[in-house]
Amino acid sequence: MSLLQWKPGYSVGVESMDDEHREMIDLINDIYEKLESDPDADQVEQCLGEIFSTISMHFALEERLMRKSNYAEYQAHKDNHEDLLDQVRDLMDDFAADTATGATRLEQGLSDWFAGHFSTFDARLHGELGD
Ligand SMILES: [Fe+2]
Ligand SMILES: [Fe+2]
């Protein structure tokens, strides 16, 4: 079963950004589903690495857009991005120590962030900039 579900309320009104957000959700769901088949530590590490780099690139793109436009909410938005990257780093540490601990953090930690960020920070950003 998927951990995260795309919801219409997540849409920021820009198709390319919605696609990137869906890709982030898909990657989180992929690792969640893989955990059910008891993957080895290398597979988990590889998936988490892919998640981290995909999310980092997406955040870097949004932060470039914000800087280019002197976007007023830049710092708070960037701080919220950093918060998720910290959570993913913690997730990597947890998985390295113990798969069960990592799985618990994955289930509990990330859903709220995605639901909150897309429909607030990202909706305001892409609503104002139009891209
Ligand atoms: Fe964002
Ligand atoms: Fe975003």
Side-chain angles (χ1 to χ4, degrees):
M1 204 188 91
S2 296
L3 177 64
L4 304 172
Q5 246 99 44
W6 173 264
K7 296 183 179 76
Y10 289 173
S11 175
V12 297
V14 176
E15 195 55 38
S16 61
M17 286 294 161
D18 285 346
D19 285 346
E20 292 201 10
H21 291 162
R22 281 197 198 91
E23 187 188 353
M24 289 157 69
I25 285 179
D26 287 346
L27 285 171
I28 301 281
N29 284 333
D30 281 351
I31 190 171
Y32 187 68
E33 279 159 27
K34 268 199 187 84
L35 289 172
E36 288 173 354
S37 59
D38 199 21
D40 62 39
D42 285 349
Q43 284 176 293
V44 172
E45 198 182 317
Q46 199 189 336
C47 280
L48 287 169
E50 198 186 338
I51 287 171
F52 191 83
S53 63
T54 301
I55 291 176
S56 298
M57 279 189 292
H58 174 75
F59 288 173
L61 169 65
E62 285 187 354
E63 288 162 20
R64 269 199 310 277
L65 286 174
M66 287 191 276
R67 283 195 302 272
K68 220 170 71 184
S69 309
N70 284 321
Y71 183 65
E73 204 186 17
Y74 171 73
Q75 194 58 51
H77 194 141
K78 184 176 163 56
D79 287 348
N80 201 252
H81 285 168
E82 294 296 333
D83 178 53
L84 182 74
L85 292 175
D86 283 345
Q87 285 191 53
V88 177
R89 283 187 203 98
D90 287 345
L91 199 56
M92 291 163 116
D93 289 344
D94 284 351
F95 271 112
D98 170 43
T99 307
T101 311
T104 303
R105 189 190 289 269
L106 181 67
E107 280 173 30
Q108 294 174 350
L110 298 184
S111 313
D112 289 350
W113 189 94
F114 281 102
H117 189 86
F118 293 163
S119 53
T120 58
F121 285 101
D122 282 355
R124 289 194 291 271
L125 169 65
H126 303 295
E128 185 171 321
L129 301 191
D131 62 7

